[in-house]
Amino acid sequence: AMPPRLTYLDLKGIAEPIRLAFWISGVEFEDVRVSYDEVKAMRAAKAMLFGQVPIFEFDGETYSQSAAILRHVGRMTKMLPGFDDSHALMRVEMLLEGVRDVMSLFQAIWYDNVLPRAPDGERPIETMLTPEQLAATQRLVNDVYLPYRLDQIETMLASSVGGGPFVNGADASVADVSVYALMDGLYDGSYAKGVRKISRDAYPCIRRLVEAIEALPQVREANARNAARYEAK
């Protein structure tokens, strides 16, 4: 059988936790990278049910929606607990939603817009933020909303099972790699323009999780491989 195929832009973005689950578990997959123009062409050809990447193909079927793909890949890679351990599963699901709460803060900043891209792939002119509105959004995200949401994740990790470093103890889940991918962009300031870099010292339990993921040989290898690819662009 062909390995599953993940198609996304040639950047980390919302597909990175999915890739990380594959890399960490050693489950084979095809990591397809496409350009914005290719995504536009795929959208015009109606090749994506929800009009966006990532898309995920296996057993002759094509699926969309990054959260659904991540959970499915979590089951494939044993990085999502089963219903036989419902408390562990709930903790992973809670943390995934906590990460999604953080990511939702950035949409207006990513698009300079109240709304995401329109069906034609363009940003609607009528709801573009003025420079003043964008600056106010960035200020409130930096000073109020982001610390509030990261405090919640820190508190959850502080009470993780077996003393961590992950939400369910020693074994990384799809939620843990989602925190790692998020913080990777917040530590270096690349996640959203005008969002200040977060100090690694600000959230010790988050830092411990990130460093535990970073220390995995499969992640070190993938990061080294991809750093060269991103720098070459």
Side-chain angles (χ1 to χ4, degrees), residues 4-211:
R5 176 183 168 105
L6 177 69
T7 301
Y8 189 64
L9 298 162
D10 192 14
L11 46 81
K12 292 180 179 180
I14 56 174
E16 193 71 357
I18 303 167
R19 294 177 184 138
L20 283 160
F22 277 121
W23 292 328
I24 289 168
S25 67
V27 172
E28 186 184 0
F29 79 112
E30 191 178 350
D31 184 9
V32 179
R33 312 285 183 120
V34 292
S35 67
Y36 284 103
D37 285 344
E38 286 171 305
V39 172
K40 270 184 143 171
M42 290 159 70
R43 187 181 293 121
K46 300 203 167 9
M48 305 178 292
L49 179 60
F50 285 89
Q52 59 201 11
V53 287
I55 56 173
F56 187 63
E57 299 163 81
F58 70 99
D59 294 345
E61 299 286 341
T62 301
Y63 296 95
S64 295
Q65 296 292 3
S66 58
I69 296 167
L70 180 62
R71 283 170 167 86
H72 179 76
V73 170
R75 287 185 284 272
M76 287 177 67
T77 59
K78 308 285 193 290
M79 290 180 69
L80 184 73
F83 288 112
D84 57 327
D85 194 347
S86 52
H87 293 287
L89 179 58
M90 272 301 293
R91 285 191 290 269
V92 169
E93 294 282 8
M94 277 174 61
L95 186 53
L96 282 170
E97 294 304 308
V99 171
R100 193 164 72 157
D101 284 339
V102 176
M103 290 172 63
S104 71
L105 300 175
F106 304 128
Q107 179 177 289
I109 296 172
W110 283 331
Y111 296 113
D112 297 328
N113 208 302
V114 175
L115 293 170
R117 291 187 188 278
D120 63 2
E122 301 303 321
R123 295 174 297 170
I125 298 292
E126 302 93 319
T127 50
M128 290 291 283
L129 299 180
T130 65
E132 295 75 21
Q133 289 169 328
L134 177 60
T137 303
Q138 290 165 325
R139 179 174 50 78
L140 285 165
V141 167
N142 278 319
D143 296 345
V144 180
Y145 287 85
L146 189 53
Y148 172 65
R149 290 301 188 192
L150 291 178
D151 274 335
Q152 292 169 334
I153 292 175
E154 177 73 9
T155 300
M156 186 177 181
L157 291 174
S159 62
S160 61
V161 174
F166 305 120
V167 70
N168 281 321
D171 296 324
S173 71
V174 288
D176 299 295
V177 295
S178 296
V179 172
Y180 167 76
L182 170 70
M183 297 311 299
D184 186 50
L186 291 177
Y187 285 156
D188 69 9
S190 66
Y191 211 88
K193 64 180 183 295
V195 173
R196 287 195 296 270
K197 291 180 184 179
I198 301 290
S199 164
R200 283 192 175 230
D201 296 330
Y203 303 96
C205 295
I206 292 176
R207 175 182 182 162
R208 191 167 61 134
L209 178 155
V210 167
E211 290 179 349

